[in-house]
Amino acid sequence: MTSPADPSPSIDPAEVAKFSAIAAEWWDPTGKFAPLHKFNPVRLSFLKGEMAAHFGRDARSLRPFEGLTLLDIGCGGGLLSEPMARLGFAVTGADASERNIGTAKAHAAQTGLAIDYRAVTAEELLADGRSYDVVLNMEVVEHVADVPGYLSACAGLVRPGGITAVATMNKTLKSFALAKVGAEYVLGWLPRGTHDWNRFIPPSELRSMLQEAGLTICKTKGVSFNPLAWDWLLSSDVDVNYMITARR
């Protein structure tokens, strides 16, 4: 149990340990994180479009987000941090796992990207007075112990006029069948035990928590897997995967 004095009550040590154990595989497109490599292009496309519209930037330019800061909280091995840095953001990648940060730092060094990677929590960054133009919170909330507290800390890291994006999975029978049973036990896309369906969150609940944290909801967008194209596509279907953007 977490004590009231714990600076990071949202951290679930078991979840941190689970991802630390496979940290070396983050950049293997055929390894345990293969689904994220496949998922990355569609979420990058969505984020780029939403951020360009929010800040009035030209998404067609080479580095449209020059001069803006971005926090990738729960960054893992840096699968989103690196492309965001290439788009011009000054990126901070934060993760509770030292091993994940070690992998992220090593890969960024190989690619020549200047990313500020830190083994730190959202609560610690907030206590340190940090704030960012963009806060990415992608596929993280289903792994934390105290979701409202965690989202409140993350919301506090968004500067006035800034925007955040949260991606997670809906709590439906469809998500149980596809994201839990199908992905982990039938298709073997993810290691068994990667997700706990009981921690999945309906969009309405997530929107309420973001609003309670002082943010204004901008958009909710689903992401669906097309078995014919064997690819992920943006969709109006939020029954399994979805993303929400919100502004301060």
Side-chain angles (χ1 to χ4, degrees), residues 144-192:
V144 303
D146 174 12
V147 177
Y150 169 73
L151 287 174
S152 178
C154 291
L157 293 166
V158 183
R159 288 177 179 164
I163 189 170
T164 187
V166 184
T168 189
M169 285 175 281
N170 200 348
K171 192 175 183 180
T172 62
L173 290 177
K174 186 175 177 180
S175 71
F176 180 78
L178 298 179
K180 180 63 183 176
V181 178
E184 295 183 19
Y185 292 86
V186 178
L187 296 171
W189 283 352
L190 298 168
R192 295 184 179 186

Side-chain angles (χ1 to χ4, degrees), residues 11 16 25 27 38 41 47 110 141 160 173 179 204 210 238 245 248:
I11 295 300
V16 175
E25 298 194 45
W27 288 95
K38 191 72 172 174
L47 292 170
Q110 291 173 0
V141 294
L173 290 177
S204 59
L210 290 170
V238 298
T245 55
R248 178 172 290 287

Side-chain angles (χ1 to χ4, degrees), residues 15-233:
E15 291 293 299
V16 175
K18 179 166 65 181
F19 285 93
S20 293
I22 53 176
E25 298 194 45
W26 275 104
W27 288 95
D28 181 358
T30 62
K32 290 183 171 64
F33 294 104
L36 274 183
H37 284 267
K38 191 72 172 174
F39 195 52
N40 231 17
V42 70
R43 62 180 185 171
L44 277 171
S45 175
F46 174 76
L47 292 170
K48 184 178 179 181
E50 291 302 297
M51 304 312 160
H54 181 79
F55 293 107
R57 301 295 179 96
D58 183 359
R60 297 167 297 178
S61 65
L62 188 61
R63 292 173 62 85
F65 304 114
E66 204 78 58
L68 295 174
T69 58
L70 179 145
L71 171 66
D72 183 9
I73 190 76
C75 65
L79 297 188
L80 272 176
S81 296
E82 290 201 8
M84 288 299 167
R86 291 191 183 94
L87 288 171
F89 282 112
V91 176
T92 297
D95 200 283
S97 167
E98 293 271 5
R99 292 191 65 185
N100 282 347
I101 291 298
T103 297
K105 283 182 176 179
H107 197 272
Q110 291 173 0
T111 54
L113 290 170
I115 298 173
D116 181 16
Y117 282 119
R118 302 176 176 211
V120 69
T121 66
E123 292 89 346
E124 289 168 333
L125 287 169
L126 185 63
D128 198 33
R130 305 281 175 172
S131 63
Y132 306 86
D133 296 304
V134 177
V135 175
L136 296 186
N137 203 325
M138 312 299 281
E139 289 80 41
V140 180
V141 294
E142 65 269 26
H143 300 291
V144 303
D146 174 12
V147 177
Y150 169 73
L151 287 174
S152 178
C154 291
L157 293 166
V158 183
R159 288 177 179 164
I163 189 170
T164 187
V166 184
T168 189
M169 285 175 281
N170 200 348
K171 192 175 183 180
T172 62
L173 290 177
K174 186 175 177 180
S175 71
F176 180 78
L178 298 179
K180 180 63 183 176
V181 178
E184 295 183 19
Y185 292 86
V186 178
L187 296 171
W189 283 352
L190 298 168
R192 295 184 179 186
T194 296
H195 292 115
D196 179 352
W197 180 80
N198 293 302
R199 292 189 175 200
F200 290 5
I201 304 170
S204 59
E205 289 185 19
L206 184 56
R207 284 192 292 263
S208 293
M209 284 186 273
L210 290 170
Q211 289 170 328
E212 288 171 10
L215 301 176
T216 300
I217 303 302
C218 299
K219 182 178 289 186
T220 303
K221 194 70 177 178
V223 184
S224 301
F225 185 74
N226 184 336
L228 296 177
W230 207 250
D231 206 357
W232 294 93
L233 302 170

